[in-house]
Amino acid sequence: MTPFRQILQRIVESTPGAVGGAFAASDGEMVDNFTIWPAEEWAILTAHYGIVLGHIHAAFGTWHYGSPSLFIAQHEKVDVVVQAIDGGYYALLALAEPRPLAHAIDAMAVATVELRREMQ
């Protein structure tokens, strides 16, 4: 098990309702992940949110607000928390019922520090 997967597994297992975590490059290619979802479905979700993050980066760059560090997408059946990481990488955490977003945001903050450390 890689250090990245260990970090992702820890945040998924410690966050109520979490169904998966991913660490990916800006093109949506997963570096590593931990999920209870089918692998193909998880890879598609992760890649799509990489594209969304790219669009948000472009929009905020146009408006001169600076790059976003975190965004949340709430859907009927799942919430997705995406945290930008240095070098064009991002971490993603998806939650089904229950959806404790404050806990998820805190878990992502810790995971981001740990993922950055492992990247060096």
Side-chain angles (χ1 to χ4, degrees):
M1 182 177 294
T2 70
F4 297 127
R5 185 176 172 91
Q6 289 174 339
I7 293 165
L8 297 167
Q9 182 175 352
R10 188 170 51 252
I11 68 166
V12 169
E13 291 178 344
S14 69
T15 304
V19 296
F23 176 51
S26 60
D27 62 1
E29 184 72 28
M30 268 195 288
V31 174
D32 216 332
N33 73 96
F34 178 83
T35 184
I36 61 172
W37 278 9
E40 185 176 293
E41 186 176 344
W42 185 249
I44 291 168
L45 180 128
T46 299
H48 280 257
Y49 277 96
I51 293 166
V52 171
L53 180 60
H55 286 296
I56 291 172
H57 273 286
F60 278 89
T62 301
W63 298 330
H64 308 289
Y65 293 139
S67 296
S69 61
L70 179 130
F71 78 89
I72 299 167
Q74 294 184 287
H75 303 275
E76 185 176 319
K77 296 182 181 179
V78 67
D79 291 344
V80 179
V81 179
V82 179
Q83 174 76 51
I85 300 178
D86 303 336
Y89 291 90
Y90 64 97
L92 180 147
L93 181 63
L95 302 101
E97 296 292 333
R99 300 179 195 162
L101 288 174
H103 184 93
I105 292 167
D106 289 344
M108 288 295 283
V110 171
T112 299
V113 170
E114 294 175 5
L115 290 166
R116 282 183 178 132
R117 188 177 314 128
E118 287 299 325
M119 289 172 63
Q120 297 177 354

